[in-house]
Amino acid sequence: DADVTQTPRNRITKTGKRIMLECSQTKGHDRMYWYRQDPGLGLRLIYYSFDVKDINKGEISDGYSVSRQAQAKFSLSLESAIPNQTALYFCATSDLEGAVPTFFGQGTRLTVV
Amino acid sequence: GNSVTQMEGPVTLSEEAFLTINCTYTATGYPSLFWYVQYPGEGLQLLLKATKADDKGSNKGFEATYRKETTSFHLEKGSVQVSDSAVYFCALSDFGTGRRALTFGSGTRLQVQP
């Protein structure tokens, strides 16, 4: 089993719909992150959490929200999906100081039509 | 602001060839530098890192040296294998300025042919 598991792996949704992407990890790490990847732009940080009671906005948090349900679970929600949120989304964990992710999930490919 | 520039790919090499993937950066503080690798169908993995000038990060035969004078962190490997085919991302962290996010380059695809 993967250390960082994302569900679903692929999703097509309509504009205006609410959608949740889920992430669970077996690494035992306190730090978890959500990134999005767009062609030619690298990865950009959406939200991060250093423990269950700590949630922080990243570079591009507008239109997104997160929930840290447990040390092992960190979900990302799009409250009202729009087409420019079509991207590849990655969850990540870290055992390093600072905010440096070390292990990423396989990604969720989200298409908003 | 911070930025990372990588050479455009794809880079196509024959097995056992020497690899260099160029990475240069702009940062306002004293960043740490990283290389990540993304194999086909998988998430990124941290490959190596360097936290201060002249540090050399190394892992799995890959090396990169933090060059402050040229603001560079080029990735090298002496003899690539087909299994090294992947996308490589250079990144920096500049937490001394209060920013909490890594800045990633756009990635360089490496294709190694048998």
Side-chain angles (χ1 to χ4, degrees):
Chain A
D1 289 341
D3 294 321
V4 182
T5 303
Q6 293 183 230
T7 55
R9 294 293 311 281
N10 289 282
R11 180 73 179 267
I12 300 174
T13 191
K14 293 183 178 181
T15 297
K17 292 292 187 180
R18 184 178 188 275
I19 183 169
M20 179 181 289
L21 309 183
E22 298 185 341
C23 176
S24 62
Q25 53 116 344
T26 59
K27 301 296 293 182
H29 294 163
D30 288 326
R31 300 166 189 263
M32 298 188 72
Y33 312 81
W34 275 104
Y35 283 86
R36 68 176 277 176
Q37 183 181 31
D38 298 277
L41 293 180
L43 281 80
R44 293 179 291 168
L45 181 64
I46 305 172
Y47 271 95
Y48 62 100
S49 169
F50 282 179
D51 64 42
V52 174
K53 298 181 180 179
D54 177 75
I55 302 290
N56 303 280
K57 292 183 177 180
E59 301 169 275
I60 54 165
S61 59
D62 288 348
Y64 301 95
S65 63
V66 291
S67 174
R68 185 80 185 266
Q69 300 95 325
Q71 185 204 39
K73 296 184 182 296
F74 191 37
S75 60
L76 175 72
S77 294
L78 286 67
E79 298 301 327
S80 179
I82 56 177
N84 75 0
Q85 291 178 313
T86 293
L88 187 57
Y89 289 85
F90 287 103
C91 176
T93 73
S94 177
D95 57 350
L96 292 181
E97 292 186 7
V100 180
T102 50
F103 298 94
F104 284 72
Q106 293 177 289
T108 295
R109 186 167 297 281
L110 177 66
T111 303
V112 183
V113 297
Chain B
N2 297 337
S3 67
V4 176
T5 302
Q6 293 181 232
M7 61 189 294
E8 290 193 14
V11 174
T12 303
L13 296 173
S14 297
E15 207 165 22
E16 299 183 2
F18 184 87
L19 169 71
T20 300
I21 298 178
N22 290 338
C23 171
T24 58
Y25 67 89
T26 303
T28 53
Y30 299 92
S32 295
L33 301 172
F34 308 87
W35 277 101
Y36 287 82
V37 58
Q38 184 177 24
Y39 297 105
E42 299 184 10
L44 283 75
Q45 303 173 30
L46 180 62
L47 180 60
L48 55 84
K49 64 182 175 76
T51 58
K52 61 183 186 297
D54 299 326
D55 270 1
K56 177 184 285 187
S58 62
N59 187 24
K60 299 182 179 180
F62 291 90
E63 293 183 338
T65 301
Y66 188 146
R67 301 289 189 197
K68 187 177 179 181
E69 64 274 15
T70 55
T71 62
S72 65
F73 193 54
H74 304 322
L75 182 68
E76 298 182 334
K77 187 175 185 182
S79 177
V80 294
Q81 306 299 312
V82 173
S83 59
D84 294 325
S85 298
V87 181
Y88 292 82
F89 293 89
C90 185
L92 71 83
S93 69
D94 195 2
F95 303 124
T97 63
R99 283 180 50 82
R100 302 303 295 178
L102 282 178
T103 301
F104 281 86
S106 57
T108 302
R109 182 175 300 277
L110 170 66
Q111 297 174 339
V112 180
Q113 299 175 336

mmCIF file of all heavy atoms in Angstrom, chain B residues 40-71:
data_model
loop_
_atom_site.group_PDB
_atom_site.id
_atom_site.type_symbol
_atom_site.label_atom_id
_atom_site.label_comp_id
_atom_site.label_asym_id
_atom_site.label_seq_id
_atom_site.Cartn_x
_atom_site.Cartn_y
_atom_site.Cartn_z
ATOM 1 N N PRO B 40 6.959 8.135 -13.618
ATOM 2 C CA PRO B 40 5.659 8.022 -14.305
ATOM 3 C C PRO B 40 4.586 7.413 -13.422
ATOM 4 O O PRO B 40 4.789 6.346 -12.831
ATOM 5 C CB PRO B 40 5.986 7.137 -15.508
ATOM 6 C CG PRO B 40 7.437 7.372 -15.773
ATOM 7 C CD PRO B 40 8.066 7.575 -14.426
ATOM 8 N N GLY B 41 3.460 8.085 -13.308
ATOM 9 C CA GLY B 41 2.339 7.567 -12.544
ATOM 10 C C GLY B 41 2.471 7.680 -11.041
ATOM 11 O O GLY B 41 1.620 7.161 -10.310
ATOM 12 N N GLU B 42 3.503 8.341 -10.567
ATOM 13 C CA GLU B 42 3.718 8.452 -9.121
ATOM 14 C C GLU B 42 3.764 9.907 -8.679
ATOM 15 O O GLU B 42 3.864 10.822 -9.494
ATOM 16 C CB GLU B 42 5.021 7.763 -8.724
ATOM 17 C CG GLU B 42 5.048 6.278 -9.040
ATOM 18 C CD GLU B 42 6.328 5.621 -8.549
ATOM 19 O OE1 GLU B 42 7.095 6.265 -7.808
ATOM 20 O OE2 GLU B 42 6.555 4.460 -8.913
ATOM 21 N N GLY B 43 3.709 10.111 -7.358
ATOM 22 C CA GLY B 43 3.888 11.438 -6.817
ATOM 23 C C GLY B 43 5.363 11.796 -6.733
ATOM 24 O O GLY B 43 6.234 10.969 -6.973
ATOM 25 N N LEU B 44 5.628 13.041 -6.376
ATOM 26 C CA LEU B 44 7.016 13.483 -6.256
ATOM 27 C C LEU B 44 7.679 12.859 -5.022
ATOM 28 O O LEU B 44 7.015 12.541 -4.033
ATOM 29 C CB LEU B 44 7.081 15.005 -6.109
ATOM 30 C CG LEU B 44 6.895 15.850 -7.352
ATOM 31 C CD1 LEU B 44 5.452 15.891 -7.784
ATOM 32 C CD2 LEU B 44 7.425 17.260 -7.118
ATOM 33 N N GLN B 45 8.980 12.717 -5.124
ATOM 34 C CA GLN B 45 9.767 12.282 -3.971
ATOM 35 C C GLN B 45 10.934 13.243 -3.818
ATOM 36 O O GLN B 45 11.512 13.657 -4.830
ATOM 37 C CB GLN B 45 10.345 10.884 -4.198
ATOM 38 C CG GLN B 45 9.366 9.794 -4.493
ATOM 39 C CD GLN B 45 10.080 8.512 -4.859
ATOM 40 O OE1 GLN B 45 11.188 8.243 -4.394
ATOM 41 N NE2 GLN B 45 9.461 7.698 -5.696
ATOM 42 N N LEU B 46 11.286 13.559 -2.588
ATOM 43 C CA LEU B 46 12.464 14.378 -2.363
ATOM 44 C C LEU B 46 13.699 13.560 -2.730
ATOM 45 O O LEU B 46 13.906 12.466 -2.200
ATOM 46 C CB LEU B 46 12.524 14.810 -0.901
ATOM 47 C CG LEU B 46 13.710 15.672 -0.496
ATOM 48 C CD1 LEU B 46 13.709 16.991 -1.258
ATOM 49 C CD2 LEU B 46 13.692 15.934 1.002
ATOM 50 N N LEU B 47 14.531 14.091 -3.627
ATOM 51 C CA LEU B 47 15.712 13.378 -4.103
ATOM 52 C C LEU B 47 16.945 13.790 -3.311
ATOM 53 O O LEU B 47 17.699 12.940 -2.846
ATOM 54 C CB LEU B 47 15.922 13.658 -5.592
ATOM 55 C CG LEU B 47 17.112 13.004 -6.268
ATOM 56 C CD1 LEU B 47 17.021 11.485 -6.181
ATOM 57 C CD2 LEU B 47 17.224 13.455 -7.721
ATOM 58 N N LEU B 48 17.167 15.084 -3.174
ATOM 59 C CA LEU B 48 18.318 15.564 -2.409
ATOM 60 C C LEU B 48 18.109 17.017 -2.026
ATOM 61 O O LEU B 48 17.251 17.693 -2.587
ATOM 62 C CB LEU B 48 19.617 15.379 -3.190
ATOM 63 C CG LEU B 48 19.731 15.975 -4.590
ATOM 64 C CD1 LEU B 48 20.120 17.429 -4.547
ATOM 65 C CD2 LEU B 48 20.731 15.181 -5.433
ATOM 66 N N LYS B 49 18.936 17.477 -1.084
ATOM 67 C CA LYS B 49 18.799 18.851 -0.630
ATOM 68 C C LYS B 49 20.135 19.414 -0.192
ATOM 69 O O LYS B 49 21.068 18.665 0.098
ATOM 70 C CB LYS B 49 17.784 18.943 0.508
ATOM 71 C CG LYS B 49 18.189 18.195 1.789
ATOM 72 C CD LYS B 49 17.089 18.304 2.828
ATOM 73 C CE LYS B 49 17.389 17.468 4.062
ATOM 74 N NZ LYS B 49 18.402 18.098 4.928
ATOM 75 N N ALA B 50 20.205 20.749 -0.146
ATOM 76 C CA ALA B 50 21.379 21.459 0.357
ATOM 77 C C ALA B 50 20.883 22.704 1.064
ATOM 78 O O ALA B 50 20.018 23.413 0.549
ATOM 79 C CB ALA B 50 22.321 21.824 -0.774
ATOM 80 N N THR B 51 21.403 22.963 2.246
ATOM 81 C CA THR B 51 20.840 24.021 3.071
ATOM 82 C C THR B 51 21.682 25.290 3.122
ATOM 83 O O THR B 51 21.203 26.327 3.597
ATOM 84 C CB THR B 51 20.598 23.522 4.505
ATOM 85 O OG1 THR B 51 21.845 23.057 5.026
ATOM 86 C CG2 THR B 51 19.579 22.402 4.509
ATOM 87 N N LYS B 52 22.937 25.236 2.651
ATOM 88 C CA LYS B 52 23.741 26.455 2.667
ATOM 89 C C LYS B 52 24.757 26.404 1.526
ATOM 90 O O LYS B 52 25.014 25.350 0.923
ATOM 91 C CB LYS B 52 24.438 26.644 4.008
ATOM 92 C CG LYS B 52 25.396 25.540 4.399
ATOM 93 C CD LYS B 52 25.964 25.825 5.774
ATOM 94 C CE LYS B 52 27.038 24.827 6.157
ATOM 95 N NZ LYS B 52 26.517 23.456 6.262
ATOM 96 N N ALA B 53 25.335 27.546 1.264
ATOM 97 C CA ALA B 53 26.275 27.680 0.148
ATOM 98 C C ALA B 53 27.411 26.665 0.257
ATOM 99 O O ALA B 53 27.928 26.401 1.339
ATOM 100 C CB ALA B 53 26.827 29.097 0.107
ATOM 101 N N ASP B 54 27.760 26.083 -0.886
ATOM 102 C CA ASP B 54 28.838 25.102 -1.076
ATOM 103 C C ASP B 54 28.468 23.704 -0.583
ATOM 104 O O ASP B 54 29.268 22.772 -0.749
ATOM 105 C CB ASP B 54 30.143 25.549 -0.434
ATOM 106 C CG ASP B 54 30.660 26.843 -1.027
ATOM 107 O OD1 ASP B 54 30.463 27.057 -2.236
ATOM 108 O OD2 ASP B 54 31.227 27.655 -0.284
ATOM 109 N N ASP B 55 27.292 23.540 0.026
ATOM 110 C CA ASP B 55 26.821 22.195 0.383
ATOM 111 C C ASP B 55 26.600 21.382 -0.880
ATOM 112 O O ASP B 55 26.140 21.903 -1.894
ATOM 113 C CB ASP B 55 25.497 22.265 1.157
ATOM 114 C CG ASP B 55 25.703 22.370 2.646
ATOM 115 O OD1 ASP B 55 26.874 22.414 3.082
ATOM 116 O OD2 ASP B 55 24.691 22.404 3.369
ATOM 117 N N LYS B 56 26.870 20.083 -0.789
ATOM 118 C CA LYS B 56 26.553 19.175 -1.882
ATOM 119 C C LYS B 56 25.533 18.172 -1.379
ATOM 120 O O LYS B 56 25.790 17.472 -0.402
ATOM 121 C CB LYS B 56 27.802 18.450 -2.381
ATOM 122 C CG LYS B 56 27.505 17.435 -3.491
ATOM 123 C CD LYS B 56 28.748 16.661 -3.903
ATOM 124 C CE LYS B 56 29.669 17.493 -4.727
ATOM 125 N NZ LYS B 56 30.806 16.703 -5.280
ATOM 126 N N GLY B 57 24.392 18.110 -2.058
ATOM 127 C CA GLY B 57 23.410 17.084 -1.778
ATOM 128 C C GLY B 57 23.631 15.909 -2.706
ATOM 129 O O GLY B 57 24.022 16.085 -3.859
ATOM 130 N N SER B 58 23.396 14.685 -2.211
ATOM 131 C CA SER B 58 23.590 13.520 -3.061
ATOM 132 C C SER B 58 22.647 12.407 -2.648
ATOM 133 O O SER B 58 22.309 12.261 -1.470
ATOM 134 C CB SER B 58 25.039 13.026 -3.010
ATOM 135 O OG SER B 58 25.372 12.633 -1.698
ATOM 136 N N ASN B 59 22.230 11.608 -3.641
ATOM 137 C CA ASN B 59 21.333 10.483 -3.388
ATOM 138 C C ASN B 59 21.197 9.693 -4.674
ATOM 139 O O ASN B 59 21.049 10.276 -5.757
ATOM 140 C CB ASN B 59 19.964 10.970 -2.916
ATOM 141 C CG ASN B 59 19.045 9.848 -2.483
ATOM 142 O OD1 ASN B 59 19.506 8.767 -2.109
ATOM 143 N ND2 ASN B 59 17.753 10.095 -2.526
ATOM 144 N N LYS B 60 21.233 8.382 -4.597
ATOM 145 C CA LYS B 60 21.003 7.486 -5.740
ATOM 146 C C LYS B 60 21.924 7.809 -6.915
ATOM 147 O O LYS B 60 21.544 7.615 -8.077
ATOM 148 C CB LYS B 60 19.550 7.560 -6.199
ATOM 149 C CG LYS B 60 18.541 7.149 -5.141
ATOM 150 C CD LYS B 60 17.123 7.211 -5.694
ATOM 151 C CE LYS B 60 16.136 6.774 -4.639
ATOM 152 N NZ LYS B 60 14.739 6.813 -5.144
ATOM 153 N N GLY B 61 23.131 8.295 -6.670
ATOM 154 C CA GLY B 61 24.068 8.613 -7.735
ATOM 155 C C GLY B 61 23.924 10.015 -8.284
ATOM 156 O O GLY B 61 24.739 10.466 -9.087
ATOM 157 N N PHE B 62 22.887 10.725 -7.859
ATOM 158 C CA PHE B 62 22.683 12.111 -8.273
ATOM 159 C C PHE B 62 23.389 13.045 -7.284
ATOM 160 O O PHE B 62 23.462 12.756 -6.095
ATOM 161 C CB PHE B 62 21.189 12.462 -8.301
ATOM 162 C CG PHE B 62 20.418 11.786 -9.386
ATOM 163 C CD1 PHE B 62 19.830 10.548 -9.173
ATOM 164 C CD2 PHE B 62 20.263 12.395 -10.625
ATOM 165 C CE1 PHE B 62 19.110 9.917 -10.178
ATOM 166 C CE2 PHE B 62 19.542 11.783 -11.632
ATOM 167 C CZ PHE B 62 18.970 10.538 -11.405
ATOM 168 N N GLU B 63 23.878 14.175 -7.813
ATOM 169 C CA GLU B 63 24.514 15.183 -6.977
ATOM 170 C C GLU B 63 24.102 16.571 -7.435
ATOM 171 O O GLU B 63 23.804 16.771 -8.626
ATOM 172 C CB GLU B 63 26.048 15.095 -7.088
ATOM 173 C CG GLU B 63 26.661 13.852 -6.528
ATOM 174 C CD GLU B 63 28.182 13.904 -6.630
ATOM 175 O OE1 GLU B 63 28.689 14.676 -7.473
ATOM 176 O OE2 GLU B 63 28.841 13.176 -5.880
ATOM 177 N N ALA B 64 24.115 17.506 -6.486
ATOM 178 C CA ALA B 64 23.913 18.915 -6.832
ATOM 179 C C ALA B 64 24.635 19.752 -5.792
ATOM 180 O O ALA B 64 24.568 19.455 -4.592
ATOM 181 C CB ALA B 64 22.429 19.274 -6.865
ATOM 182 N N THR B 65 25.329 20.789 -6.252
ATOM 183 C CA THR B 65 26.087 21.655 -5.352
ATOM 184 C C THR B 65 25.466 23.044 -5.330
ATOM 185 O O THR B 65 25.194 23.638 -6.381
ATOM 186 C CB THR B 65 27.551 21.761 -5.794
ATOM 187 O OG1 THR B 65 28.126 20.444 -5.797
ATOM 188 C CG2 THR B 65 28.347 22.641 -4.844
ATOM 189 N N TYR B 66 25.252 23.557 -4.132
ATOM 190 C CA TYR B 66 24.656 24.883 -3.901
ATOM 191 C C TYR B 66 25.730 25.929 -4.214
ATOM 192 O O TYR B 66 26.695 26.087 -3.468
ATOM 193 C CB TYR B 66 24.241 24.949 -2.447
ATOM 194 C CG TYR B 66 23.439 26.129 -1.976
ATOM 195 C CD1 TYR B 66 22.489 25.958 -0.991
ATOM 196 C CD2 TYR B 66 23.622 27.413 -2.468
ATOM 197 C CE1 TYR B 66 21.744 27.004 -0.493
ATOM 198 C CE2 TYR B 66 22.895 28.476 -1.984
ATOM 199 C CZ TYR B 66 21.964 28.271 -0.986
ATOM 200 O OH TYR B 66 21.233 29.332 -0.493
ATOM 201 N N ARG B 67 25.554 26.664 -5.320
ATOM 202 C CA ARG B 67 26.515 27.688 -5.753
ATOM 203 C C ARG B 67 25.879 29.059 -5.572
ATOM 204 O O ARG B 67 25.087 29.500 -6.407
ATOM 205 C CB ARG B 67 26.889 27.481 -7.220
ATOM 206 C CG ARG B 67 27.509 26.142 -7.530
ATOM 207 C CD ARG B 67 28.889 26.019 -6.994
ATOM 208 N NE ARG B 67 29.562 24.796 -7.476
ATOM 209 C CZ ARG B 67 30.650 24.274 -6.925
ATOM 210 N NH1 ARG B 67 31.189 24.858 -5.860
ATOM 211 N NH2 ARG B 67 31.179 23.185 -7.433
ATOM 212 N N LYS B 68 26.260 29.719 -4.486
ATOM 213 C CA LYS B 68 25.666 31.022 -4.209
ATOM 214 C C LYS B 68 26.144 32.077 -5.198
ATOM 215 O O LYS B 68 25.387 32.960 -5.611
ATOM 216 C CB LYS B 68 25.997 31.462 -2.780
ATOM 217 C CG LYS B 68 25.299 32.730 -2.334
ATOM 218 C CD LYS B 68 25.635 33.055 -0.896
ATOM 219 C CE LYS B 68 24.944 34.343 -0.463
ATOM 220 N NZ LYS B 68 25.275 34.686 0.935
ATOM 221 N N GLU B 69 27.406 31.972 -5.639
ATOM 222 C CA GLU B 69 27.959 32.992 -6.529
ATOM 223 C C GLU B 69 27.294 33.015 -7.896
ATOM 224 O O GLU B 69 27.219 34.058 -8.537
ATOM 225 C CB GLU B 69 29.476 32.798 -6.666
ATOM 226 C CG GLU B 69 29.897 31.509 -7.323
ATOM 227 C CD GLU B 69 30.001 30.342 -6.361
ATOM 228 O OE1 GLU B 69 29.488 30.434 -5.228
ATOM 229 O OE2 GLU B 69 30.584 29.312 -6.751
ATOM 230 N N THR B 70 26.805 31.846 -8.321
ATOM 231 C CA THR B 70 26.104 31.771 -9.608
ATOM 232 C C THR B 70 24.611 31.516 -9.440
ATOM 233 O O THR B 70 23.904 31.332 -10.426
ATOM 234 C CB THR B 70 26.694 30.650 -10.490
ATOM 235 O OG1 THR B 70 26.659 29.419 -9.756
ATOM 236 C CG2 THR B 70 28.135 30.964 -10.867
ATOM 237 N N THR B 71 24.133 31.538 -8.209
ATOM 238 C CA THR B 71 22.728 31.224 -7.854
ATOM 239 C C THR B 71 22.234 30.010 -8.626
ATOM 240 O O THR B 71 21.198 30.056 -9.314
ATOM 241 C CB THR B 71 21.797 32.434 -8.069
ATOM 242 O OG1 THR B 71 21.789 32.825 -9.445
ATOM 243 C CG2 THR B 71 22.230 33.591 -7.204
#
